[in-house]
Amino acid sequence: LAFLSYFSLLGITGELFALFVIVLRCVDGSYQKEGRFFHDLPPEKRPNFDDGVNTWGVSASTVILAANLALSFNGAHYNAPKYFNLLHNKTVRRWNMVTASAFTAVVCMYMGAMLRGYLTFGNNVDGFVLLSYSDKDQLANVARIGV
């Protein structure tokens, strides 16, 4: 499994770069009216805040997202025993600390990406947020490849 660590590092780098692009495009105004990429998007994909910002709204989609996250983060992953045995200085306490830290970091990354994507595109944000960006946005294109 040591060989796979290089691919894991590559994947993490791609995810972090995508998060960087999502945050950058949220704060630099590229997709706001008169932003440099606003008119590159078809009207139905342009940022839409007609209903205002509803950051914590709950709908059927929210329930589906919560169910998917619950399945993703359950503690019964079939590789968990293998990963535990590969852990340096393996103890249950260390395992709990490592997994809790990793999942906390991932949840923060995903929440940051979801929130920034919504604050950039409003109601027109795509479920895969990187598809919301213009094809002419080279940073977004690199981020799509990285993910």
Side-chain angles (χ1 to χ4, degrees), residues 116-130:
R116 297 298 182 179
Y118 176 75
L119 292 175
T120 302
F121 295 101
N123 296 328
N124 286 342
V125 67
D126 195 279
F128 178 46
V129 68
L130 290 174

Side-chain angles (χ1 to χ4, degrees), residues 4-90:
L4 295 178
S5 66
Y6 299 109
F7 294 103
S8 293
L9 182 61
L10 184 64
I12 291 169
T13 302
E15 292 291 332
L16 289 173
F17 182 75
L19 181 60
F20 167 76
V21 170
I22 291 167
V23 171
L24 176 69
R25 292 302 185 228
C26 181
V27 298
D28 75 358
S30 296
Y31 288 89
Q32 295 175 0
K33 285 187 179 176
E34 304 312 319
R36 72 181 189 191
F37 295 116
F38 182 82
H39 294 289
D40 292 337
L41 297 173
E44 67 275 3
K45 291 192 81 174
R46 290 182 183 155
N48 176 4
F49 295 97
D50 291 344
D51 298 333
V53 176
N54 183 11
T55 311
W56 299 107
V58 177
S59 67
S61 296
T62 309
V63 175
I64 292 169
L65 173 64
N68 284 325
L69 289 175
L71 289 172
S72 299
F73 295 121
N74 70 16
H77 193 282
Y78 67 92
N79 277 326
K82 181 189 301 183
Y83 296 145
F84 176 79
N85 287 325
L86 292 172
L87 184 66
H88 182 68
N89 295 332
K90 60 182 168 212

